[in-house]
Amino acid sequence: MTSDFADALVSGRPLVLDGGMSNQLESAGHDLSDGLWSARLLAEEPEAIGEAHLAYFEAGADVAITASYQATFEGFARHGVGRHAASELMALSVESAREAARRARTDRRLWVAASAGPYGAMLADGSEYRGRYGLGAGELERFHRPRLEVLAAARPDVLALETVPDTEEAAALLRAVRHLGVPAWLSYTVAGDRTRAGQPLEEAFALAADADEVIAVGVNCCAPEDVAGAVETAARVTGKPVVVYPNSGEAWDAEARAWRGRSSFAAREVRGWRAAGARLVGGCCRVGPEAIRSVAAALTPG
């Protein structure tokens, strides 16, 4: 699949992704403790979402990932939001990022990636870090396809199939994204050289090697220490551009709904990731605008 965004991945400098949406919203004083996480603010305070995107654009990000990671029909329904309204909120997530791009004080071309998190994100119990939900591939495809259709209709530059914990869900997502007319990247969450569910990364990345809709593969929401090996494997197995955006290095305690440990995210590692094949580089949870500013500096020639 060809697109302006796909072309940008193979020409010029690597693109800088944004950082964590949730930590940026929390730093502005917003409570994200319920099951909808940042998606709740799409309904209640959409301007806060736009301000978070703007902070990252002005820190040097070229790509904003929308606040739709946890936006699903099922999740919204549990909070009393009907299907039509849920569709409107998902579309709003894309428009909020577009509006922030229009407001950003930069001459760089800016892009919007529509986030589609895994099934486990909807459960809001940390199971996106385990996978293997007890659902078949068909059930997972039926879960993902309707919201991917809504997000694609909002015309983002790319769909971010992100934080995927296992190959079963990846296969379902690859089927769900077919013929939507919008390119996608596929990004696993990993531990060492395996998916969170324990499958070898060579096997996981190979699923996307021949998927025309997928223009980049990689990892996110993982420890920074796990990135370098994953980049090399993804590039070697697929021949596609690689996307990487790890967490700060702290660990998520699902029971306490809190982060534990210390940050190990270091922008100095970025050049090594780029040399191994990374073309989209940013941060995930607990990585804020200042860290993204450092990533942008590390990827700037000269």
Side-chain angles (χ1 to χ4, degrees):
M1 176 177 287
T2 60
S3 69
D4 288 351
F5 187 76
D7 291 342
L9 291 185
V10 295
S11 62
R13 64 174 177 82
L15 298 179
V16 180
L17 295 173
D18 60 9
M21 172 61 71
S22 60
N23 50 267
Q24 183 62 13
L25 291 170
E26 287 173 336
S27 70
H30 299 286
D31 178 9
L32 305 181
S33 60
D34 73 7
L36 283 176
W37 207 26
S38 56
R40 178 177 58 81
L41 295 186
L42 289 170
E44 297 181 5
E45 295 184 75
E47 66 279 0
I49 301 290
E51 290 299 322
H53 287 313
L54 183 61
Y56 283 117
F57 279 140
E58 297 197 335
D62 303 302
V63 185
I65 302 175
T66 63
S68 51
Y69 174 82
Q70 215 141 342
T72 66
F73 290 112
E74 294 81 356
F76 278 129
R78 289 202 299 264
H79 288 74
V81 179
R83 200 168 185 86
H84 178 73
S87 294
E88 290 185 331
L89 292 174
M90 292 179 203
L92 177 61
S93 73
V94 176
E95 178 53 32
S96 293
R98 287 275 185 229
E99 177 59 24
R102 289 190 285 268
R103 293 172 58 199
R105 294 166 293 185
T106 179
D107 294 329
R108 302 187 319 277
R109 181 158 184 185
L110 303 178
W111 310 87
V112 173
S115 171
Y119 180 84
M122 181 270 295
L123 300 177
D125 62 358
S127 59
E128 66 260 52
Y129 299 117
R130 301 188 298 272
R132 303 295 180 90
Y133 317 111
L135 300 179
E139 292 172 293
L140 288 170
E141 183 180 353
R142 287 190 292 275
F143 167 78
H144 285 295
R145 178 75 184 197
R147 68 179 181 139
L148 287 170
E149 290 175 342
V150 170
L151 290 170
R155 307 312 300 170
D157 297 296
V158 62
L159 294 165
L161 313 179
E162 57 178 356
T163 325
V164 180
D166 63 42
T167 57
E168 294 174 358
E169 187 157 26
L173 280 161
L174 291 174
R175 287 193 294 272
V177 80
R178 287 176 185 162
H179 311 306
L180 292 179
V182 178
W185 77 59
L186 175 67
S187 180
Y188 290 94
T189 180
V190 303
D193 62 355
R194 293 178 175 267
T195 68
R196 294 282 186 165
Q199 300 111 343
L201 287 186
E202 289 202 4
E203 171 188 330
F205 291 133
L207 290 175
D210 297 322
D212 291 340
E213 290 84 1
V214 176
I215 59 173
V217 296
V219 294
N220 77 289
C221 213
C222 60
E225 295 78 12
D226 291 334
V227 169
V231 173
E232 185 279 328
T233 301
R236 173 171 50 81
V237 170
T238 70
K240 296 177 186 281
V242 179
V243 53
V244 295
Y245 47 120
N247 293 337
S248 67
E250 298 159 86
W252 175 248
D253 183 334
E255 184 175 343
R257 295 187 64 80
W259 291 93
R260 309 293 189 197
R262 299 174 59 186
S263 173
S264 59
F265 187 95
R268 64 178 177 273
E269 304 291 339
V270 166
R271 293 188 180 91
W273 301 345
R274 178 182 62 188
R279 297 291 304 172
L280 285 155
V281 183
C284 201
C285 300
R286 308 284 284 182
V287 177
E290 286 309 306
I292 296 304
R293 194 180 307 277
S294 297
V295 169
L299 293 176
T300 299

